[in-house]
Amino acid sequence: GVSQESEGSDGFSVFGSATQSNSWAVDGQDTSNADTGRSYWWINPDTIEEIQVLAVGAPAQFGNMTGGAFNVVTKSGTNDFRGSLNAYFQTSGLTDDGPEINGIAFNRDEFLDFSATLGGPIVKDKAWFFLAYQNFSDTYSEPGVDPAYPTLFPSIKYDGKLNVAISDSILMDAKFHFEDWEWEYGDAFSTADAQGNQGGDNPAWGLGFDMVLNDSNLLEIGYAGWRGDEHWRSRTGSTDDPFIDYSPPGGGPPLYSGSLWYPYQYDLVRDQLDATLSHHADEFLKGDHEFKFGVAYGQGSNDTITAGGVNGRYYYRYEYVYDYYGYEYIYPYYYRTTARAYHYGAESETISAFVDDSWQVTPRLTLNLGLRFDQVN
């Protein structure tokens, strides 16, 4: 029931629902982007233990979505020291030049993806750690692009997790994630001033406690939060007004110069608090039951400021050709558009409550019954 939204997209439709209808989580922590319905994090693959995909028939614990619920479960340390090293690279000698535009072929400067993990005991049977690091760098120039201004895509990710058995009945889980990324895009139809620099950082953290109250009851309490910021601006820092030539000499695609068209600054905030009580009842109401009662509170915001140019305006040119009995008359038009800086975004507050019953009627029949309430302001 899961299909890719479009070729090359990181969005998914689940049983025909919109991408914005999905819910994404890392270790139960909501990482959904309220604007797009995609996950806002880029996870280091070497930290992933398993991935849960839930849709139709998902327990009431997974709510506030009408599409799919995706939960990435990350690795933890154990009583044995374990680690990994991975490196993937590609050089210009391993990459074909391909076609040329204006005498300039594809150029591969660098491709390197290095990651390392290490996990193990701090105190055996009491405390464990897991650390991960990933350094990714990709630098290349498309055909026709000045190699002095290649496309750059560096990113660094840090992950850490600490598990502590405070007592025989209480387990603490603390985690931290940080990623710093950048993307500078070079193309053959924009001057360096009109090429973009995109980047930002995403810190995230979480703290949870699993408390065994007795043989039948388990209490889980967790807090998690994350922040995100992203910018889009001229890679040279130009403050000139953008200019777009829709009718360049000799024809062809539009040419961009001056500075970046519609730069922006994008900021996100998310905090959430969850509490779940699980109760196991044997031979109750003609079967075995796993009851779950939960409440959650979350708040978040996203704010974007953008404009038609760094000075709130941009210019463009267009030529109109009129054919009069075989004679062509060319009329060039020049326009100025004023699009001053403005904000758009939202603030949200969510209160949720649910009750869920996994009822094993017979060894071959289990009914999942649940009720959930979500109030989003």
Side-chain angles (χ1 to χ4, degrees):
V2 180
S3 59
Q4 194 174 21
E5 183 182 48
S6 61
E7 185 178 355
S9 170
D10 60 352
F12 297 93
S13 172
V14 180
F15 290 108
S17 64
T19 299
Q20 292 84 350
S21 302
N22 297 327
S23 172
W24 293 84
V26 176
D27 293 329
Q29 177 182 353
D30 190 351
T31 63
S32 303
N33 187 330
D35 284 352
T36 64
R38 296 172 171 83
S39 177
Y40 196 68
W41 294 2
W42 287 330
I43 296 295
N44 179 352
D46 289 341
T47 66
I48 297 175
E49 182 71 26
E50 63 182 59
I51 300 176
Q52 297 173 318
V53 181
L54 303 169
V56 175
Q61 182 177 2
F62 298 88
N64 200 23
M65 57 87 182
T66 57
F70 300 85
N71 182 35
V72 177
V73 181
T74 62
K75 297 177 182 178
S76 300
T78 67
N79 278 332
D80 298 321
F81 284 101
R82 296 178 180 176
S84 66
L85 290 174
N86 290 295
Y88 303 90
F89 72 96
Q90 185 175 359
T91 65
S92 58
L94 296 173
T95 308
D96 193 8
D97 292 339
E100 296 183 357
I101 297 178
N102 297 327
I104 302 177
F106 180 89
N107 181 62
R108 166 73 65 192
D109 283 352
E110 177 189 29
F111 178 89
L112 177 63
D113 184 1
F114 173 81
S115 64
T117 67
L118 179 63
I122 299 175
V123 178
K124 192 174 181 179
D125 297 327
K126 290 291 184 180
W128 308 265
F129 75 93
F130 179 81
L131 301 173
Y133 169 80
Q134 183 183 25
N135 192 329
F136 177 88
S137 180
D138 191 8
T139 306
Y140 61 90
S141 300
E142 297 284 4
V145 176
D146 185 353
Y149 294 96
T151 294
L152 307 174
F153 186 23
S155 70
I156 297 178
K157 301 181 184 72
Y158 303 92
D159 289 275
K161 182 184 284 189
L162 175 66
N163 299 96
V164 179
I166 298 176
S167 68
D168 292 339
S169 59
I170 301 177
L171 178 65
M172 183 193 76
D173 178 303
K175 62 179 68 70
F176 179 76
H177 168 85
F178 182 82
E179 61 187 67
D180 190 349
W181 63 279
E182 189 174 10
W183 183 54
E184 291 192 358
Y185 182 68
D187 68 81
F189 308 104
S190 302
T191 64
D193 292 340
Q195 295 174 10
N197 171 281
Q198 185 180 22
D201 56 67
N202 303 316
W205 51 89
L207 178 65
F209 295 89
D210 294 344
M211 293 175 279
V212 179
L213 305 181
N214 51 48
D215 292 343
S216 301
N217 295 287
L218 172 67
L219 178 62
E220 301 169 272
I221 299 176
Y223 162 75
W226 59 276
R227 304 292 184 265
D229 74 82
E230 182 178 319
H231 64 258
W232 177 244
R233 53 183 177 238
S234 168
R235 67 186 300 175
T236 65
S238 174
T239 58
D240 293 337
D241 293 327
F243 178 74
I244 308 165
D245 191 349
Y246 286 105
S247 302
L255 300 179
Y256 297 82
S257 60
S259 66
L260 198 63
W261 192 35
Y262 280 97
Y264 65 77
Q265 176 66 39
Y266 182 36
D267 296 292
L268 300 96
V269 175
R270 178 78 182 183
D271 293 281
Q272 65 183 57
L273 180 65
D274 304 86
T276 302
L277 175 65
S278 301
H279 174 73
H280 184 78
D282 289 328
E283 299 180 0
F284 176 71
L285 294 178
K286 298 182 179 181
D288 296 337
H289 297 259
E290 184 73 32
F291 294 103
K292 284 191 175 183
F293 308 89
V295 293
Y297 173 79
Q299 64 178 3
S301 67
N302 59 285
D303 177 52
T304 299
I305 180 172
T306 185
V310 67
N311 302 309
R313 58 181 179 266
Y314 64 90
Y315 298 82
Y316 64 94
R317 172 182 176 271
Y318 176 77
E319 285 187 356
Y320 174 71
V321 180
Y322 176 67
D323 191 330
Y324 182 75
Y325 296 105
Y327 292 94
E328 291 186 348
Y329 295 88
I330 300 177
Y331 298 92
Y333 292 86
Y334 292 84
Y335 298 86
R336 186 184 81 169
T337 298
T338 300
R340 300 191 183 279
Y342 64 93
H343 288 263
Y344 69 88
E347 295 182 355
S348 66
E349 183 180 57
T350 303
I351 299 175
S352 305
F354 73 89
V355 56
D356 187 77
D357 178 17
S358 180
W359 178 12
Q360 186 178 4
V361 183
T362 70
R364 301 179 63 182
L365 175 62
T366 299
L367 300 178
N368 290 316
L369 308 174
L371 181 66
R372 184 181 179 92
F373 170 81
D374 291 295
Q375 178 177 311
V376 182
N377 299 317

